[in-house]
Amino acid sequence: MPTCVMYTVVDLTPLSPGLATDINQNGWVCGSEAGLKAFLYIPQAPGGNVFNLPPPLGITAQAIGINNRGDVVGSSGVYPGGIEIPFLWKDCSSGGCSGFQLQPLTLFGPAGRANAINESRIIVGWSSTQPAGSTFRRAVFWDGNNPSNSPIALDALNPNLESEAFGINDQNIIVGSAQFRNTFGNIEEHAVIWDANTRKITRDLGTLTSVLPIRPVLPFTDLKAQATAINNSGTIVGVGDVMSSPALRPRTGFIVRPGGTMELIPMGPSQDAGAWDISPNGTIAVTTNVLNPDTNQLEDHGAIYSITKGLLDIHTTTCGAGPGGHGLSGGWILTDARAVNDNGWICGRGSTPFVQNHAVLLVPTP
């Protein structure tokens, strides 16, 4: 990776904390701010406006995924009770979402979430399958062109245990996780791959035990791994536990090349670390735990990684900037990278000495 990259930071939630969750190839960013207020940032709109994505009356919302057509998916929460309902914001436009359509997605049970959407408007996530009040999750997909249609359930490793779909590419290959009961009788969570055409699990990637010498510490034998995203080349990224015993487990990111097996991303593990997104060109957005040279303390930083160029911790891209500069405008530190596009634009969460945990967009400076 180049060691000198300057970025301009756009604060997407200047009045409150937030998280930017996804970015498309046009630089459109979706996310949510405090109070679960969903937003969409469109840089081509006049002034580079941030638009609210209004939920149904009296309900809060979070935006999670976006495609290149400007369709956004996520969920709305009903309070009291905290029940999530999956939603599609369809046909957003550079005119400020003037053509958008808010459409709920049909469920098996009372709750669900939409996590990602591809260019054909196939949406993946989960739907509850048990009676009201339960949050038993089953991985599903919806046809976003016909959102009133029932979701399509994906096969589980164990039909009596939970599963969730997190990512999909334009070949309708879906990635996520499914629970499995191990030989100790405890529930593990495995990273898995589905084919939407057959609804079958095509590969059980398992946990990080295939790449790390993890020895279960009884009774904690419930390791977890999730495949979080897949690009059109078929490269998969995800996150998994690196220890089995503590309640607050350190996690790290992994990559699976097309037809390959799990490989660790060389990054520092922490409770919040992971690989969250992969762009079409193979750049991965990660959150890694590193030693801050200014404070001599371990802390989470947003970073990008590629197989050919390695890991770039955004905090270290000083480019000769003075203390607090770190290659970012305004003294920002990117604390969490959630998505990246082929132009090198990165979205996630960041802080300065004056604001904490705002949703941000980083744009490379020419």
Coordinates of all heavy atoms in Angstrom, one line a residue, residues 263-361:
E263 N -8.2 -17.5 4.7 CA -6.9 -16.9 5.0 C -7.1 -15.8 6.0 O -8.0 -14.9 5.8 CB -6.2 -16.4 3.7 CG -6.1 -17.5 2.6 CD -5.6 -16.8 1.4 OE1 -4.6 -16.1 1.4 OE2 -6.2 -17.1 0.3
L264 N -6.2 -15.7 7.0 CA -6.3 -14.6 7.9 C -5.8 -13.3 7.2 O -4.8 -13.3 6.5 CB -5.4 -14.8 9.1 CG -5.9 -15.9 10.1 CD1 -4.9 -16.0 11.2 CD2 -7.3 -15.6 10.6
I265 N -6.5 -12.2 7.5 CA -6.0 -10.9 7.1 C -5.0 -10.4 8.2 O -5.3 -10.5 9.4 CB -7.1 -9.9 7.0 CG1 -8.0 -10.3 5.8 CG2 -6.6 -8.4 6.7 CD1 -9.3 -9.4 5.6
P266 N -3.8 -10.0 7.8 CA -2.8 -9.6 8.8 C -3.2 -8.3 9.6 O -2.8 -7.2 9.2 CB -1.5 -9.4 8.0 CG -2.0 -9.1 6.7 CD -3.3 -9.8 6.5
M267 N -4.0 -8.4 10.6 CA -4.5 -7.3 11.3 C -4.6 -7.6 12.8 O -4.6 -8.8 13.2 CB -5.9 -6.9 10.8 CG -6.8 -8.1 10.7 SD -8.4 -7.7 10.0 CE -9.3 -6.9 11.4
G268 N -4.7 -6.6 13.6 CA -4.8 -6.8 15.1 C -6.2 -7.2 15.5 O -7.2 -6.5 15.1
P269 N -6.4 -8.2 16.3 CA -7.7 -8.6 16.8 C -8.2 -7.7 17.9 O -7.4 -7.2 18.7 CB -7.5 -10.1 17.2 CG -6.1 -10.1 17.6 CD -5.3 -9.2 16.7
S270 N -9.5 -7.6 18.0 CA -10.2 -6.9 19.1 C -11.6 -7.3 19.1 O -12.1 -8.0 18.2 CB -10.0 -5.4 19.0 OG -11.0 -4.9 18.1
Q271 N -12.3 -6.9 20.1 CA -13.8 -7.3 20.2 C -14.5 -6.7 19.0 O -15.5 -7.3 18.5 CB -14.4 -6.7 21.5 CG -15.8 -7.0 21.6 CD -16.4 -6.2 22.8 OE1 -15.7 -5.7 23.6 NE2 -17.7 -6.2 22.9
D272 N -14.1 -5.6 18.4 CA -14.9 -4.9 17.3 C -14.2 -5.0 16.0 O -14.6 -4.4 15.0 CB -15.1 -3.5 17.7 CG -15.9 -3.3 18.9 OD1 -17.0 -4.0 19.0 OD2 -15.6 -2.4 19.8
A273 N -13.1 -5.8 15.9 CA -12.3 -5.9 14.7 C -13.1 -6.8 13.7 O -13.9 -7.6 14.1 CB -10.9 -6.5 14.9
G274 N -12.8 -6.7 12.4 CA -13.4 -7.5 11.4 C -13.2 -7.0 10.0 O -12.8 -5.8 9.8
A275 N -13.5 -7.8 9.0 CA -13.5 -7.4 7.6 C -14.9 -7.3 7.2 O -15.7 -8.3 7.3 CB -12.8 -8.4 6.7
W276 N -15.4 -6.1 6.8 CA -16.8 -5.8 6.6 C -17.3 -5.7 5.2 O -18.5 -5.8 5.0 CB -17.1 -4.5 7.4 CG -16.7 -4.5 8.8 CD1 -15.7 -3.7 9.4 CD2 -17.1 -5.4 9.9 NE1 -15.5 -4.1 10.7 CE2 -16.3 -5.1 11.0 CE3 -18.0 -6.5 9.9 CZ2 -16.5 -5.8 12.2 CZ3 -18.2 -7.2 11.1 CH2 -17.4 -6.8 12.3
D277 N -16.4 -5.4 4.3 CA -16.9 -5.1 2.9 C -15.7 -5.3 1.9 O -14.5 -5.1 2.3 CB -17.4 -3.7 2.8 CG -18.0 -3.4 1.4 OD1 -18.8 -4.2 0.9 OD2 -17.5 -2.4 0.8
I278 N -16.0 -5.7 0.7 CA -15.0 -5.8 -0.3 C -15.5 -5.2 -1.6 O -16.6 -5.4 -2.0 CB -14.6 -7.3 -0.6 CG1 -13.5 -7.4 -1.7 CG2 -15.8 -8.2 -0.9 CD1 -12.8 -8.7 -1.8
S279 N -14.7 -4.3 -2.2 CA -15.1 -3.6 -3.4 C -14.9 -4.5 -4.6 O -14.3 -5.6 -4.6 CB -14.2 -2.3 -3.6 OG -12.9 -2.7 -3.9
P280 N -15.4 -4.1 -5.8 CA -15.2 -4.9 -7.0 C -13.8 -5.2 -7.3 O -13.4 -6.2 -7.8 CB -15.9 -4.0 -8.1 CG -17.0 -3.3 -7.4 CD -16.4 -3.0 -6.0
N281 N -12.9 -4.2 -7.0 CA -11.5 -4.4 -7.4 C -10.7 -5.2 -6.3 O -9.5 -5.4 -6.4 CB -10.8 -3.1 -7.7 CG -10.6 -2.2 -6.5 OD1 -10.8 -2.6 -5.4 ND2 -10.1 -1.0 -6.8
G282 N -11.4 -5.6 -5.2 CA -10.7 -6.4 -4.2 C -10.2 -5.7 -3.0 O -9.5 -6.3 -2.2
T283 N -10.5 -4.4 -2.9 CA -10.1 -3.7 -1.7 C -11.1 -3.9 -0.6 O -12.3 -3.9 -0.8 CB -10.0 -2.2 -1.9 OG1 -9.1 -1.9 -3.0 CG2 -9.5 -1.4 -0.7
I284 N -10.5 -4.2 0.6 CA -11.4 -4.6 1.8 C -11.4 -3.6 2.8 O -10.3 -3.0 3.2 CB -10.8 -6.0 2.3 CG1 -10.8 -7.0 1.2 CG2 -11.7 -6.4 3.5 CD1 -10.0 -8.3 1.6
A285 N -12.5 -3.3 3.4 CA -12.7 -2.3 4.5 C -12.6 -3.1 5.8 O -13.4 -4.1 6.0 CB -14.0 -1.6 4.4
V286 N -11.7 -2.8 6.7 CA -11.5 -3.5 7.9 C -11.4 -2.6 9.1 O -11.1 -1.4 8.9 CB -10.2 -4.4 7.9 CG1 -10.2 -5.3 6.7 CG2 -9.0 -3.6 7.9
T287 N -11.7 -3.1 10.3 CA -11.4 -2.4 11.5 C -10.4 -3.3 12.2 O -10.6 -4.5 12.5 CB -12.7 -2.3 12.4 OG1 -13.7 -1.6 11.6 CG2 -12.4 -1.6 13.7
T288 N -9.3 -2.7 12.6 CA -8.1 -3.4 13.1 C -7.7 -2.8 14.4 O -7.9 -1.6 14.6 CB -7.0 -3.5 12.1 OG1 -5.9 -4.2 12.7 CG2 -6.5 -2.1 11.8
N289 N -7.1 -3.5 15.3 CA -6.6 -3.0 16.6 C -5.1 -2.8 16.4 O -4.3 -3.7 16.1 CB -6.9 -4.0 17.7 CG -6.7 -3.4 19.1 OD1 -5.8 -3.8 19.8 ND2 -7.6 -2.5 19.4
V290 N -4.7 -1.5 16.7 CA -3.3 -1.2 16.5 C -2.8 -0.3 17.7 O -3.5 0.2 18.5 CB -3.1 -0.4 15.2 CG1 -3.5 -1.2 14.0 CG2 -3.9 0.9 15.2
L291 N -1.4 -0.2 17.7 CA -0.8 0.6 18.7 C -0.7 2.0 18.2 O -0.1 2.3 17.2 CB 0.6 0.1 19.1 CG 1.4 0.9 20.1 CD1 0.7 0.8 21.5 CD2 2.8 0.4 20.2
N292 N -1.4 3.0 18.8 CA -1.3 4.4 18.5 C 0.0 5.0 18.9 O 0.3 5.0 20.1 CB -2.5 5.1 19.1 CG -2.6 6.6 18.7 OD1 -1.6 7.2 18.3 ND2 -3.8 7.2 18.8
P293 N 0.8 5.4 17.9 CA 2.2 5.8 18.3 C 2.1 7.1 19.1 O 3.1 7.5 19.8 CB 2.9 6.1 17.0 CG 1.7 6.2 16.0 CD 0.6 5.4 16.5
D294 N 1.0 7.9 19.0 CA 0.9 9.1 19.8 C 0.6 8.9 21.2 O 1.1 9.7 22.1 CB -0.1 10.0 19.2 CG 0.2 10.5 17.7 OD1 1.4 10.5 17.4 OD2 -0.7 10.7 16.9
T295 N -0.2 7.9 21.5 CA -0.6 7.6 22.9 C 0.0 6.4 23.5 O -0.1 6.2 24.7 CB -2.2 7.5 23.0 OG1 -2.5 6.3 22.2 CG2 -2.9 8.7 22.4
N296 N 0.6 5.6 22.7 CA 1.2 4.3 23.1 C 0.1 3.4 23.7 O 0.4 2.5 24.6 CB 2.3 4.5 24.1 CG 3.3 3.3 24.2 OD1 3.5 2.7 23.1 ND2 3.8 3.0 25.4
Q297 N -1.1 3.5 23.2 CA -2.2 2.7 23.6 C -2.8 1.9 22.4 O -2.8 2.4 21.3 CB -3.3 3.5 24.2 CG -2.9 4.3 25.4 CD -2.7 3.5 26.6 OE1 -3.4 2.5 26.9 NE2 -1.7 3.8 27.4
L298 N -3.3 0.7 22.7 CA -4.0 -0.1 21.7 C -5.4 0.5 21.4 O -6.1 0.8 22.4 CB -4.1 -1.5 22.1 CG -2.8 -2.4 22.0 CD1 -3.0 -3.7 22.7 CD2 -2.3 -2.5 20.6
E299 N -5.8 0.7 20.2 CA -7.1 1.2 19.9 C -7.5 0.7 18.5 O -6.7 0.3 17.7 CB -7.1 2.7 19.9 CG -6.1 3.4 19.0 CD -6.0 4.9 19.2 OE1 -6.2 5.3 20.4 OE2 -5.8 5.6 18.3
D300 N -8.8 0.8 18.2 CA -9.3 0.3 16.9 C -9.2 1.5 15.9 O -9.5 2.6 16.2 CB -10.8 -0.1 17.1 CG -11.0 -1.4 17.7 OD1 -10.1 -2.2 17.7 OD2 -12.1 -1.6 18.3
H301 N -8.7 1.1 14.7 CA -8.6 2.0 13.6 C -9.3 1.4 12.4 O -9.3 0.2 12.2 CB -7.2 2.3 13.3 CG -6.4 3.2 14.3 ND1 -5.1 3.5 14.2 CD2 -6.9 3.8 15.4 CE1 -4.8 4.3 15.2 NE2 -5.8 4.5 15.9
G302 N -9.8 2.3 11.5 CA -10.3 1.9 10.2 C -9.1 1.7 9.3 O -8.1 2.5 9.3
A303 N -9.1 0.7 8.4 CA -8.0 0.4 7.5 C -8.6 -0.2 6.2 O -9.8 -0.6 6.2 CB -7.0 -0.5 8.2
I304 N -7.8 -0.2 5.2 CA -8.1 -1.0 4.0 C -7.0 -2.0 3.7 O -5.8 -1.8 4.1 CB -8.3 0.0 2.8 CG1 -7.1 0.9 2.6 CG2 -9.6 0.7 2.9 CD1 -7.2 1.8 1.4
Y305 N -7.4 -3.1 3.0 CA -6.5 -4.2 2.8 C -6.7 -4.7 1.4 O -7.9 -4.8 0.9 CB -6.6 -5.3 3.8 CG -5.8 -6.5 3.5 CD1 -4.5 -6.6 3.8 CD2 -6.5 -7.7 2.9 CE1 -3.8 -7.8 3.5 CE2 -5.7 -8.8 2.6 CZ -4.4 -8.8 2.9 OH -3.6 -10.0 2.6
S306 N -5.6 -5.1 0.7 CA -5.7 -5.9 -0.5 C -4.6 -6.9 -0.5 O -3.6 -6.7 0.1 CB -5.7 -5.0 -1.8 OG -4.4 -4.6 -2.0
I307 N -4.9 -8.0 -1.2 CA -3.9 -9.1 -1.3 C -2.6 -8.6 -1.9 O -1.5 -9.0 -1.4 CB -4.4 -10.3 -2.0 CG1 -5.6 -10.9 -1.3 CG2 -3.4 -11.3 -2.3 CD1 -6.3 -12.0 -2.0
T308 N -2.7 -7.8 -2.9 CA -1.5 -7.3 -3.6 C -0.7 -6.2 -2.9 O 0.5 -6.1 -3.0 CB -1.8 -6.9 -5.0 OG1 -2.8 -5.8 -4.9 CG2 -2.4 -8.0 -5.8
K309 N -1.5 -5.3 -2.1 CA -0.8 -4.2 -1.5 C -0.7 -4.2 0.0 O 0.0 -3.4 0.6 CB -1.6 -2.9 -1.9 CG -1.6 -2.7 -3.5 CD -2.4 -1.4 -3.8 CE -2.3 -1.2 -5.3 NZ -3.1 0.0 -5.7
G310 N -1.4 -5.1 0.6 CA -1.3 -5.3 2.1 C -2.2 -4.4 2.8 O -3.2 -3.9 2.3
L311 N -1.9 -4.1 4.1 CA -2.8 -3.4 5.0 C -2.4 -1.9 5.1 O -1.2 -1.6 5.3 CB -2.8 -4.0 6.4 CG -3.8 -3.4 7.4 CD1 -5.2 -3.9 7.1 CD2 -3.4 -3.8 8.8
L312 N -3.3 -1.0 5.0 CA -3.0 0.4 5.2 C -3.9 0.9 6.3 O -5.1 1.1 6.2 CB -3.3 1.2 3.9 CG -3.3 2.8 4.1 CD1 -1.8 3.2 4.4 CD2 -3.7 3.5 2.8
D313 N -3.3 1.2 7.5 CA -4.0 1.8 8.6 C -4.1 3.3 8.3 O -3.1 4.0 8.1 CB -3.2 1.6 9.9 CG -3.7 2.4 11.1 OD1 -4.8 2.9 11.0 OD2 -3.0 2.5 12.1
I314 N -5.3 3.8 8.1 CA -5.5 5.2 7.7 C -4.8 6.2 8.7 O -4.3 7.2 8.3 CB -7.0 5.5 7.6 CG1 -7.7 4.5 6.7 CG2 -7.2 7.0 7.1 CD1 -7.1 4.5 5.3
H315 N -4.7 5.8 9.9 CA -4.1 6.7 10.9 C -2.6 7.0 10.7 O -2.1 8.0 11.1 CB -4.3 6.1 12.3 CG -3.8 6.9 13.4 ND1 -4.4 8.0 13.9 CD2 -2.6 6.8 14.2 CE1 -3.8 8.6 14.9 NE2 -2.7 7.9 15.1
T316 N -2.0 6.0 10.0 CA -0.5 6.2 9.8 C -0.2 6.9 8.5 O 1.0 7.1 8.2 CB 0.2 4.8 9.7 OG1 -0.3 4.1 8.6 CG2 -0.1 4.0 11.0
T317 N -1.2 7.4 7.7 CA -0.9 8.0 6.4 C -0.6 9.5 6.7 O -1.4 10.4 6.2 CB -2.1 7.8 5.5 OG1 -3.2 8.5 6.0 CG2 -2.4 6.4 5.2
T318 N 0.4 9.8 7.4 CA 0.7 11.2 7.8 C 1.0 12.1 6.7 O 0.7 13.3 6.7 CB 1.8 11.2 8.9 OG1 3.0 10.7 8.3 CG2 1.4 10.4 10.1
C319 N 1.8 11.7 5.7 CA 2.2 12.5 4.6 C 2.9 13.8 5.0 O 2.7 14.8 4.4 CB 1.0 12.8 3.7 SG 0.2 11.4 2.9
G320 N 3.6 13.7 6.1 CA 4.3 14.9 6.7 C 3.4 15.8 7.5 O 3.8 16.9 7.8
A321 N 2.1 15.4 7.7 CA 1.3 16.3 8.5 C 1.7 16.4 9.9 O 2.4 15.5 10.4 CB -0.2 15.7 8.5
G322 N 1.4 17.5 10.6 CA 1.8 17.7 12.0 C 1.0 16.8 12.9 O 0.1 16.0 12.5
P323 N 1.3 16.9 14.2 CA 0.6 16.0 15.2 C -1.0 16.2 15.1 O -1.5 17.3 15.0 CB 1.1 16.6 16.5 CG 2.4 17.2 16.2 CD 2.3 17.7 14.8
G324 N -1.7 15.1 15.0 CA -3.1 15.1 14.9 C -3.6 15.1 13.5 O -4.8 15.0 13.2
G325 N -2.7 15.3 12.5 CA -3.1 15.3 11.1 C -3.4 14.0 10.6 O -4.5 13.7 10.1
H326 N -2.4 13.1 10.6 CA -2.6 11.7 10.3 C -3.1 11.5 8.9 O -3.8 10.5 8.6 CB -3.5 11.0 11.3 CG -3.1 11.2 12.7 ND1 -1.8 10.8 13.2 CD2 -3.7 11.8 13.7 CE1 -1.8 11.2 14.5 NE2 -2.9 11.8 14.8
G327 N -2.8 12.4 8.0 CA -3.3 12.2 6.6 C -4.7 12.5 6.4 O -5.2 12.3 5.3
L328 N -5.5 13.0 7.4 CA -6.9 13.3 7.3 C -7.1 14.7 7.6 O -6.4 15.4 8.4 CB -7.7 12.4 8.3 CG -7.6 10.9 8.2 CD1 -8.5 10.3 9.3 CD2 -7.9 10.4 6.8
S329 N -8.1 15.3 6.9 CA -8.4 16.7 7.2 C -9.1 16.8 8.6 O -9.7 15.9 9.1 CB -9.4 17.2 6.2 OG -10.6 16.5 6.2
G330 N -8.8 18.0 9.2 CA -9.5 18.3 10.5 C -9.1 17.5 11.7 O -9.8 17.5 12.7
G331 N -8.0 16.8 11.7 CA -7.5 16.0 12.8 C -8.3 14.8 13.1 O -8.3 14.3 14.3
W332 N -9.0 14.2 12.1 CA -9.8 13.1 12.3 C -9.0 11.8 12.5 O -7.9 11.7 11.9 CB -10.8 12.9 11.2 CG -11.9 13.8 11.1 CD1 -11.9 15.0 10.5 CD2 -13.2 13.6 11.7 NE1 -13.1 15.6 10.7 CE2 -14.0 14.8 11.4 CE3 -13.8 12.6 12.4 CZ2 -15.3 14.9 11.7 CZ3 -15.1 12.7 12.8 CH2 -15.9 13.9 12.5
I333 N -9.5 10.8 13.2 CA -9.0 9.5 13.2 C -10.2 8.6 12.8 O -11.3 8.6 13.4 CB -8.5 9.0 14.6 CG1 -7.2 9.8 15.0 CG2 -8.2 7.5 14.6 CD1 -6.7 9.5 16.4
L334 N -10.0 7.8 11.8 CA -11.0 6.8 11.4 C -10.9 5.6 12.3 O -9.9 4.9 12.4 CB -10.7 6.3 9.9 CG -11.8 5.4 9.3 CD1 -13.1 6.1 9.2 CD2 -11.3 4.8 8.0
T335 N -12.0 5.4 13.1 CA -12.0 4.3 14.1 C -12.6 3.1 13.6 O -12.5 2.0 14.2 CB -12.7 4.8 15.4 OG1 -14.0 5.3 15.0 CG2 -11.9 6.0 16.0
D336 N -13.4 3.2 12.5 CA -14.1 2.0 12.0 C -14.3 2.2 10.5 O -15.0 3.1 10.1 CB -15.4 1.9 12.8 CG -16.1 0.6 12.5 OD1 -15.6 -0.3 11.8 OD2 -17.3 0.4 13.0
A337 N -13.8 1.3 9.7 CA -14.0 1.3 8.2 C -15.1 0.2 7.9 O -14.8 -0.9 8.2 CB -12.7 1.1 7.4
R338 N -16.2 0.6 7.3 CA -17.2 -0.3 7.0 C -17.4 -0.6 5.5 O -18.0 -1.7 5.2 CB -18.6 0.2 7.6 CG -18.7 0.1 9.1 CD -18.5 -1.3 9.5 NE -18.4 -1.5 10.9 CZ -19.3 -2.2 11.6 NH1 -20.4 -2.8 11.0 NH2 -19.2 -2.4 12.9
A339 N -17.0 0.2 4.6 CA -17.2 -0.1 3.2 C -16.2 0.8 2.4 O -15.8 1.9 2.9 CB -18.6 0.2 2.7
V340 N -15.8 0.3 1.2 CA -14.9 1.0 0.3 C -15.3 0.8 -1.1 O -15.8 -0.3 -1.5 CB -13.5 0.6 0.6 CG1 -13.3 -0.9 0.4 CG2 -12.5 1.4 -0.2
N341 N -15.1 1.8 -2.0 CA -15.4 1.6 -3.4 C -14.1 1.6 -4.2 O -13.0 1.8 -3.7 CB -16.4 2.6 -4.0 CG -15.9 4.0 -4.0 OD1 -14.7 4.3 -3.9 ND2 -16.9 4.9 -4.2
D342 N -14.2 1.4 -5.5 CA -13.0 1.3 -6.4 C -12.2 2.6 -6.5 O -11.1 2.6 -6.9 CB -13.4 0.8 -7.8 CG -13.6 -0.7 -7.8 OD1 -13.4 -1.4 -6.8 OD2 -14.1 -1.3 -8.8
N343 N -12.9 3.7 -6.2 CA -12.2 5.0 -6.2 C -11.4 5.3 -4.9 O -10.8 6.3 -4.8 CB -13.2 6.1 -6.5 CG -13.8 6.0 -7.8 OD1 -13.1 5.7 -8.8 ND2 -15.1 6.2 -7.9
G344 N -11.5 4.3 -4.0 CA -10.8 4.5 -2.7 C -11.5 5.3 -1.7 O -11.0 5.7 -0.6
W345 N -12.8 5.6 -2.0 CA -13.6 6.3 -1.0 C -14.0 5.3 0.1 O -14.4 4.2 -0.2 CB -14.9 6.9 -1.6 CG -14.7 8.0 -2.6 CD1 -13.5 8.2 -3.4 CD2 -15.6 9.0 -2.9 NE1 -13.7 9.3 -4.2 CE2 -15.0 9.8 -4.0 CE3 -16.9 9.3 -2.5 CZ2 -15.6 10.9 -4.5 CZ3 -17.5 10.4 -3.1 CH2 -16.9 11.1 -4.1
I346 N -13.9 5.7 1.4 CA -14.1 4.8 2.5 C -15.1 5.5 3.4 O -15.1 6.7 3.7 CB -12.8 4.7 3.3 CG1 -11.6 4.2 2.4 CG2 -13.0 3.7 4.5 CD1 -10.3 4.4 3.1
C347 N -16.1 4.7 3.9 CA -17.0 5.2 4.9 C -17.0 4.3 6.1 O -16.6 3.2 6.1 CB -18.5 5.2 4.3 SG -19.2 3.6 4.0
G348 N -17.5 4.9 7.2 CA -17.4 4.3 8.5 C -17.7 5.2 9.6 O -18.7 6.0 9.6
R349 N -16.8 5.2 10.6 CA -17.0 6.1 11.8 C -15.7 6.7 12.2 O -14.6 6.0 12.1 CB -17.6 5.2 12.9 CG -17.8 5.9 14.3 CD -18.7 5.1 15.2 NE -18.5 3.6 15.1 CZ -19.4 2.7 15.3 NH1 -20.6 3.1 15.6 NH2 -19.1 1.4 15.2
G350 N -15.7 7.9 12.7 CA -14.5 8.6 13.1 C -14.7 9.6 14.2 O -15.8 9.9 14.6
S351 N -13.6 10.0 14.8 CA -13.6 10.9 15.9 C -12.5 12.0 15.7 O -11.5 11.8 15.1 CB -13.4 10.2 17.2 OG -14.5 9.3 17.5
T352 N -12.7 13.1 16.4 CA -11.6 14.1 16.6 C -11.5 14.4 18.1 O -12.3 13.8 18.9 CB -12.0 15.4 15.8 OG1 -13.0 16.1 16.6 CG2 -12.5 15.2 14.4
P353 N -10.6 15.3 18.5 CA -10.6 15.6 19.9 C -11.9 16.3 20.4 O -12.2 16.5 21.6 CB -9.4 16.6 20.1 CG -8.5 16.2 19.0 CD -9.4 15.8 17.8
F354 N -12.7 16.7 19.4 CA -13.9 17.5 19.7 C -15.2 16.8 19.5 O -16.3 17.2 20.1 CB -13.9 18.8 18.9 CG -12.6 19.6 19.1 CD1 -11.7 19.5 18.0 CD2 -12.3 20.3 20.2 CE1 -10.5 20.2 18.1 CE2 -11.1 20.9 20.3 CZ -10.2 20.9 19.3
V355 N -15.3 15.8 18.6 CA -16.5 15.0 18.4 C -16.1 13.5 18.4 O -15.0 13.1 18.1 CB -17.1 15.3 17.0 CG1 -17.5 16.8 16.9 CG2 -16.2 15.0 15.9
Q356 N -17.1 12.7 18.8 CA -16.8 11.3 19.0 C -17.8 10.5 18.2 O -19.0 10.7 18.2 CB -17.0 10.9 20.5 CG -15.9 11.5 21.4 CD -14.5 11.1 21.1 OE1 -14.3 9.9 21.0 NE2 -13.6 12.0 20.9
N357 N -17.3 9.5 17.4 CA -18.1 8.5 16.8 C -19.1 9.0 15.8 O -20.3 8.6 15.8 CB -18.7 7.6 17.8 CG -17.7 6.9 18.7 OD1 -16.7 6.4 18.3 ND2 -18.1 6.8 20.0
H358 N -18.7 9.9 14.9 CA -19.6 10.4 13.9 C -19.5 9.5 12.6 O -18.4 9.0 12.4 CB -19.2 11.9 13.5 CG -19.7 12.9 14.5 ND1 -20.1 14.1 14.2 CD2 -20.0 12.7 15.9 CE1 -20.5 14.8 15.3 NE2 -20.4 14.0 16.3
A359 N -20.5 9.5 11.9 CA -20.5 8.8 10.6 C -19.7 9.7 9.6 O -19.9 10.9 9.5 CB -21.9 8.6 10.0
V360 N -18.7 9.1 8.9 CA -17.8 9.8 8.1 C -17.6 9.2 6.7 O -17.8 8.0 6.6 CB -16.4 10.0 8.8 CG1 -16.6 10.9 10.0 CG2 -15.8 8.7 9.1
L361 N -17.2 10.0 5.8 CA -16.8 9.6 4.5 C -15.4 10.1 4.2 O -15.2 11.3 4.4 CB -17.7 10.1 3.4 CG -17.3 9.9 1.9 CD1 -17.1 8.4 1.5 CD2 -18.2 10.6 1.0

